[in-house]
Amino acid sequence: DYYPYWHPSPWRDIAVLTTDTTRCPYYQAESENLVGRFLCSNPVFNNEAACTGGGGSWAQQASHGLEAPSCSEYPRAGNGPMNNGQVNTFDWTIPTIPGNPVGGDKCVLRMRLNITSGDFDGWTTTAASNGVANTPVRDNPSVNAGDSSSVAVLSLAANSDQYGRTFQDRSHVFVVLPLSAAPAPSLPPVGGKIYNLGVRGRRGNMVEVYPALPYAFTPSQLNIRTIDRVHIQWTGSLSTPYGAGNGDASTDRSNIVCVGSSGSLLPLAFSDPECNMFDSLALKQSMATAGFSPPTSVDPELNNANASYDGGIVQIGGGSTGSFKYMCTRNMSFSNRSQRGTITVTI
């Protein structure tokens, strides 16, 4: 109902996921990536008639000069943990940003969920249908579910304000860094890849976080080669919604420590030969304390550690093959919460 947007917008279109793919050509051709929007010289007016009538000039602005967004069918994976943790995903190749500084470009990713009723044709319904006398839908209507010989009047819980609107609008800030910003020794050799390891979900048990997920490493199962590297990083909040968990209420914290098996709740000591996921004591301490310094002064529940952490690009196992298992000490709860993972390294 609200896309493609008719007013100039700073947002660059990435993808349209829709239940009606017959409209994909329209969505793509009319994206502001390709077609500039019109704007009045007097910002008081937002349409051509009012603009010119008010003495302003109605002129088309430049497009973003980008390729059309991808358009595909909306995946129907279900909701959160009640669907075995399967969530809707979209694979996006982050574009090269011209002039990307060494410090990185701060970007904002915006996701909007538009909902549309099938009870009327939203594409041909205009403002002419506003008002009680003309509207195709009414609030909480009573309907006859029977026929002329058998009347069965039922009341529907319907709110016409909900029939076509932006139902959710979520924004996430991130930074795109050039490879030149990473220390040379941490980069993979020719042919190697860099995989991202982060944390998803929020504080709380499965009931409290629904339809989201409790904390989990993502991906929780990662298969790489000895020539590959892993960028370990996560973001957190100091004011997350209330939910069951350890440490200070309404705060996010994560860390990584070695465990001997996938079923273990007890971390291995840094000096244990099996704790070889990271090849230095300093890195083991940094991962275990989310970068807190000095590591010996970190709060046992990480309350004084940072909610967000960038562990850098690392070589798992120091070049050795094997299956490296790890967990988060703060967010593990034997009864109903588990934040653990495995990285398998092969040649």
Side-chain angles (χ1 to χ4, degrees), residues 11-149:
W11 299 101
R12 275 64 168 168
D13 296 330
I14 298 172
V16 179
L17 306 179
T18 176
T19 55
D20 184 2
T21 55
T22 63
R23 293 199 174 274
C24 279
Y26 169 75
Y27 290 139
Q28 293 174 308
E30 295 299 321
S31 166
E32 195 177 353
N33 286 4
L34 303 175
V35 181
R37 302 299 190 250
F38 284 83
L39 189 66
C40 185
S41 58
N42 186 340
V44 172
F45 306 110
N46 66 359
N47 63 80
E48 184 176 10
C51 178
T52 55
S57 59
W58 187 250
Q60 187 174 24
Q61 311 301 301
S63 71
H64 293 315
L66 303 173
E67 62 182 19
S70 68
C71 185
S72 58
E73 185 175 8
Y74 181 80
R76 300 174 183 269
N79 291 328
M82 302 308 177
N83 195 54
N84 197 30
Q86 298 300 309
V87 294
N88 291 328
T89 61
F90 175 77
D91 289 331
W92 177 41
T93 299
I94 298 177
T96 298
I97 301 176
N100 190 0
V102 173
D105 277 340
K106 181 175 289 187
C107 302
V108 182
L109 177 67
R110 187 184 194 186
M111 293 175 285
R112 305 188 73 177
L113 173 61
N114 294 343
I115 58 174
T116 305
S117 170
D119 293 322
F120 62 93
D121 186 354
W123 290 94
T124 60
T125 303
T126 66
S129 295
N130 286 344
V132 175
N134 300 319
T135 178
V137 293
R138 299 177 184 276
D139 290 344
N140 304 323
S142 294
V143 298
N144 178 19
D147 52 34
S148 58
S149 62

Side-chain angles (χ1 to χ4, degrees), residues 256-258 268-273 275-292 294-296 309 311 314-315 318:
I256 288 179
V257 295
C258 304
L268 299 173
F270 294 155
S271 58
D272 192 311
C275 185
N276 55 359
M277 181 172 171
F278 306 114
D279 61 2
S280 72
L281 175 61
L283 191 53
K284 293 175 184 179
Q285 291 176 327
S286 178
M287 294 291 175
T289 64
F292 189 84
T296 53
Y309 173 66
V314 301
Q315 184 180 31

Side-chain angles (χ1 to χ4, degrees), residues 32-341:
E32 195 177 353
N33 286 4
L34 303 175
V35 181
R37 302 299 190 250
F38 284 83
L39 189 66
C40 185
S41 58
N42 186 340
V44 172
F45 306 110
N46 66 359
N47 63 80
E48 184 176 10
C51 178
T52 55
S57 59
W58 187 250
Q60 187 174 24
Q61 311 301 301
S63 71
H64 293 315
L66 303 173
E67 62 182 19
S70 68
C71 185
S72 58
E73 185 175 8
Y74 181 80
R76 300 174 183 269
N79 291 328
M82 302 308 177
N83 195 54
N84 197 30
Q86 298 300 309
V87 294
N88 291 328
T89 61
F90 175 77
D91 289 331
W92 177 41
T93 299
I94 298 177
T96 298
I97 301 176
N100 190 0
V102 173
D105 277 340
K106 181 175 289 187
C107 302
V108 182
L109 177 67
R110 187 184 194 186
M111 293 175 285
R112 305 188 73 177
L113 173 61
N114 294 343
I115 58 174
T116 305
S117 170
D119 293 322
F120 62 93
D121 186 354
W123 290 94
T124 60
T125 303
T126 66
S129 295
N130 286 344
V132 175
N134 300 319
T135 178
V137 293
R138 299 177 184 276
D139 290 344
N140 304 323
S142 294
V143 298
N144 178 19
D147 52 34
S148 58
S149 62
S150 177
V151 177
V153 178
L154 301 175
S155 178
L156 303 181
N159 182 350
S160 59
D161 291 340
Q162 308 288 335
Y163 267 71
R165 69 182 184 95
T166 300
F167 187 69
Q168 292 189 33
D169 194 332
R170 300 287 185 265
S171 299
H172 303 269
V173 179
F174 64 99
V175 175
V176 178
L177 291 171
L179 287 177
S180 59
S186 66
L187 297 178
V190 176
K193 296 181 178 180
I194 299 176
Y195 291 86
N196 184 63
L197 176 62
V199 174
R200 72 178 184 187
R202 76 169 186 86
R203 184 185 179 101
N205 58 41
M206 292 177 64
V207 175
E208 292 171 322
V209 305
Y210 181 84
L213 295 166
Y215 296 121
F217 289 109
T218 178
S220 59
Q221 304 291 323
L222 180 59
N223 297 304
I224 63 174
R225 303 163 299 168
T226 54
I227 62 172
D228 297 327
R229 302 293 184 267
V230 178
H231 189 183
I232 299 175
Q233 56 178 311
W234 55 77
T235 59
S237 172
L238 298 178
S239 58
T240 191
Y242 176 81
N246 303 318
D248 290 341
S250 299
T251 63
D252 296 325
R253 296 292 190 276
S254 290
N255 68 339
I256 288 179
V257 295
C258 304
V259 290
S261 68
S262 297
S264 176
L265 283 174
L266 300 177
L268 299 173
F270 294 155
S271 58
D272 192 311
E274 290 188 42
C275 185
N276 55 359
M277 181 172 171
F278 306 114
D279 61 2
S280 72
L281 175 61
L283 191 53
K284 293 175 184 179
Q285 291 176 327
S286 178
M287 294 291 175
T289 64
F292 189 84
S293 181
T296 53
S297 299
V298 72
D299 181 84
E301 292 189 317
L302 303 175
N303 290 321
N304 58 351
N306 290 325
S308 299
Y309 173 66
D310 184 356
I313 300 173
V314 301
Q315 184 180 31
I316 301 300
S320 300
T321 60
S323 182
F324 303 89
K325 300 173 176 58
Y326 60 94
M327 75 172 195
C328 169
T329 57
R330 168 153 154 159
N331 301 323
M332 286 291 294
S333 178
F334 183 76
S335 61
N336 60 4
R337 293 186 299 279
S338 175
Q339 186 178 348
R340 62 172 78 243

